[in-house]
Amino acid sequence: MSLPPFDYDAHTKYTDPPNTSWTFGQKTDNTEFGRKWLEGEEQGWKVINTAEDTVRLSQLMLSAIVPRPIAFVSSISETGVENLSPFSWFNVVTNNPPLVSFCCDNNPRVKDTPTNVKNGLGFTVNIVGEPFVRNLHVTSIDAPPEFNEWTISGLTKAPSIHVKAPRVKESAFSMECELFQTIDIAHPVSGEITATMILAHVKYIHVRKDVLNERGIVDITKYKPIMRLGDISYGRISAVFRLPGVAWEHEKEKIERALETEEQS
């Protein structure tokens, strides 16, 4: 399949959100956009029993639960062998204490990362940007145990100040972490440990100043993060819209009017 070349000049831009005139209680089919979306229901639904249809279950879930941020984890073994590996089963858990989580699939074997993070030497979780996604991608290779993926990545090690594992210098946002908790995921029928969830306690953050806005938070238009999609696909953020928070104190009267209108209709 022939594809157009990567657009290096594309930039993330802000737009209005969809359906700017939406009001409380308004149905999805109230707009042309919504009606076209709902037309897809005419083709019906496929119901999948996850206990029976396991052949494509992983591919289906990974293609539907998107986009997923990528944790680029740098760790080190007790014998000093460094490891660099990406995980897209990743997200923030809480900011008090600051925790992030990522999950390691144990098939066909237990990865080096869940072993390394338990040794007390610490590890780093780095966010991936567009300019070095190819460097990241090669580290997902099914290398033999204790192979150092840094050697094929072309990436640069930067020293951490709290943990022994280096951070990825090319990453605009890196977190030095200590292990908070590991959770082995056991299959409810076989009892086999199929995956390990790692809760990481963020001790220090390294963020490049050029991606911060005047409020001291990350400017998404400068950050250029990469996301994981289904099959072999990755994505970039091309458009962003904003929706202000909804507070009962400010919206109570509008909600009551909307409910009254709904009762009268």
Side-chain angles (χ1 to χ4, degrees):
M1 179 175 61
S2 178
L3 296 173
F6 187 86
D7 186 356
Y8 292 96
D9 296 323
H11 298 284
T12 304
K13 61 181 180 181
Y14 280 91
T15 70
D16 282 335
N19 195 7
T20 55
S21 62
W22 187 89
T23 58
F24 291 102
Q26 187 180 97
K27 303 295 185 183
T28 303
D29 61 5
N30 189 262
T31 66
E32 181 65 19
F33 188 35
R35 286 192 291 273
K36 287 183 178 180
W37 169 257
L38 294 176
E39 286 175 0
E41 295 181 1
E42 297 174 2
Q43 298 186 31
W45 302 83
K46 181 178 181 179
V47 179
I48 298 164
N49 184 335
T50 62
E52 298 175 357
D53 192 351
T54 60
V55 177
R56 295 188 178 181
L57 183 60
S58 176
Q59 294 181 6
L60 175 63
M61 293 183 68
L62 293 179
S63 68
I65 304 172
V66 292
R68 299 186 307 280
I70 302 170
F72 202 14
V73 181
S74 166
S75 63
I76 188 168
S77 72
E78 290 183 335
T79 59
V81 178
E82 294 172 325
N83 182 269
L84 192 60
S85 187
F87 299 91
S88 70
W89 299 349
F90 161 62
N91 222 314
V92 63
V93 177
T94 175
N95 62 0
N96 186 25
L99 298 180
V100 296
S101 71
F102 60 96
C103 202
C104 306
D105 188 356
N106 291 339
N107 182 34
R109 64 176 177 83
V110 176
K111 306 290 193 299
D112 293 329
T113 301
T115 301
N116 290 350
V117 301
K118 296 175 183 178
N119 63 23
L121 298 177
F123 51 98
T124 68
V125 177
N126 308 269
I127 303 301
V128 184
E130 294 175 19
F132 60 100
V133 65
R134 293 298 296 265
N135 308 69
L136 162 129
H137 183 66
V138 297
T139 66
S140 64
I141 190 170
D142 55 343
E146 296 210 338
F147 175 78
N148 184 350
E149 289 81 4
W150 282 97
T151 60
I152 59 172
S153 71
L155 294 169
T156 311
K157 301 175 189 177
S160 299
I161 62 175
H162 182 72
V163 303
K164 190 168 184 179
R167 56 190 175 87
V168 177
K169 181 175 175 290
E170 288 79 1
S171 174
F173 191 95
S174 299
M175 296 169 281
E176 296 189 36
C177 301
E178 293 179 349
L179 179 64
F180 185 82
Q181 185 180 358
T182 60
I183 302 172
D184 287 331
I185 309 299
H187 191 281
V189 177
S190 68
E192 177 188 4
I193 304 299
T194 58
T196 300
M197 174 179 284
I198 295 163
L199 296 180
H201 187 183
V202 180
K203 303 298 289 188
Y204 288 89
I205 293 174
H206 302 258
V207 55
R208 262 176 37 180
K209 294 178 181 179
D210 67 319
V211 302
L212 296 176
N213 63 18
E214 64 280 358
R215 292 181 294 150
I217 63 176
V218 171
D219 183 340
I220 196 65
T221 65
K222 300 175 182 177
Y223 195 36
K224 299 187 181 299
I226 285 293
M227 66 192 80
R228 198 67 168 89
L229 305 172
D231 57 66
I232 60 172
S233 299
Y234 291 80
R236 65 202 301 200
I237 298 176
S238 59
V240 178
F241 59 84
R242 306 179 71 186
L243 293 171
V246 183
W248 180 263
E249 180 182 358
H250 299 143
E251 307 293 350
K252 179 181 178 181
E253 292 184 4
K254 293 180 183 178
I255 293 173
E256 290 174 344
R257 287 198 300 269
L259 294 176
E260 289 176 2
T261 301
E262 184 177 345
E263 291 176 355
Q264 294 171 4
S265 60

